[in-house]
Amino acid sequence: MNPAVLALAALAVLALASRSAPAAATNPQRDNGMNYIPAVRTGGTDAVAWTRTRWSAARDFLAAQGYDAARAASMAAAVVAQWARETGWGRSEWGYNVGNVKGYQGWPGTVQRLPDGLTYRAHATLRDGVASVIGLLEGTRYRAAWDQLARDGDAVLWYRGIIAAGYHPMTPEALSEYASVRARVREKVGA
């Protein structure tokens, strides 16, 4: 397919996704100090469209933070690969929580209770979700890994770093799967 047509299609999907933000996000219900909204599936079933829109949003967010275009594209591919593992290529993305980050007591934003019974962060737009999850990944707990990714661009080493910092248990299978998913992300977005 023509790259220009693909780019326009990705923009159209992003625009539609942004317009279909959970309406309840503006009227959350408080429970145990947390602001709950109804869970709304925002990922879809088209892995290619999901990957391209999340990568474009992450790339644009990183570029706005001052990363040059090539570094922003590379870092976006790294984080989208992690998000793809977390959400099953978007099939389990709810409320624009691109990384399936759990909500916790004291989280100032809105949360949603998903079918698994757990509480996860919820965001009104894709941009908000990308900003929130990248903010977490570049925050204090994962900062060393983030700085390494920004400096060297080694996505697998970055992933190893966030695992070592407690993102989830370290297994050889997780690293191998991440490397495979990242290769597929790069293929889907042409990076």
Side-chain angles (χ1 to χ4, degrees), residues 4-68:
V5 172
L6 286 175
L8 286 174
L11 287 173
V13 169
L14 182 59
L16 287 173
S18 295
R19 283 201 329 238
S20 63
T26 59
N27 189 16
Q29 294 183 344
R30 294 193 62 80
D31 181 19
N32 292 330
M34 299 183 77
N35 297 319
Y36 283 90
I37 63 167
V40 176
R41 188 180 304 270
T42 55
T45 58
D46 183 338
V48 174
W50 179 87
T51 302
R52 288 179 179 163
T53 57
R54 274 50 182 174
W55 177 78
S56 293
R59 180 200 59 206
D60 294 350
F61 180 81
L62 292 167
Q65 286 189 317
Y67 293 99
D68 67 67

Side-chain angles (χ1 to χ4, degrees), residues 27 32 34 56 66 72 79 101-102 126 154:
N27 189 16
N32 292 330
M34 299 183 77
S56 293
V79 297
V101 177
K102 290 190 175 84
L126 177 58
D154 187 330

Side-chain angles (χ1 to χ4, degrees), residues 4-5 34 58 82-83 88 94 99 127-128 134 140 147 149 154 186 191:
V5 172
M34 299 183 77
Q82 186 239 349
W83 300 344
W94 300 73
R127 187 181 190 319
D128 292 345
I134 289 178
T140 304
D147 289 345
L149 178 63
D154 187 330
R186 291 176 61 89

Side-chain angles (χ1 to χ4, degrees), residues 36-166:
Y36 283 90
I37 63 167
V40 176
R41 188 180 304 270
T42 55
T45 58
D46 183 338
V48 174
W50 179 87
T51 302
R52 288 179 179 163
T53 57
R54 274 50 182 174
W55 177 78
S56 293
R59 180 200 59 206
D60 294 350
F61 180 81
L62 292 167
Q65 286 189 317
Y67 293 99
D68 67 67
R71 180 64 65 202
S74 175
M75 292 172 73
V79 297
V80 169
Q82 186 239 349
W83 300 344
R85 282 198 77 234
E86 295 293 328
T87 67
W89 295 95
R91 288 185 309 275
S92 295
E93 177 192 299
W94 300 73
Y96 298 110
N97 186 344
V98 292
N100 274 349
V101 177
K102 290 190 175 84
Y104 56 86
Q105 199 71 22
W107 164 248
T110 55
V111 293
Q112 56 199 336
R113 184 164 288 122
L114 297 187
D116 65 6
L118 298 175
T119 301
Y120 293 83
R121 294 181 183 185
H123 308 284
T125 68
L126 177 58
R127 187 181 190 319
D128 292 345
V130 166
S132 175
V133 178
I134 289 178
L136 173 71
L137 293 171
E138 65 185 359
T140 304
R141 184 175 186 177
Y142 307 109
R143 188 70 205 191
W146 186 262
D147 289 345
Q148 178 279 318
L149 178 63
R151 183 180 55 253
D152 304 334
D154 187 330
V156 175
L157 190 58
W158 165 75
Y159 193 68
R160 182 185 300 267
I162 66 170
I163 290 173

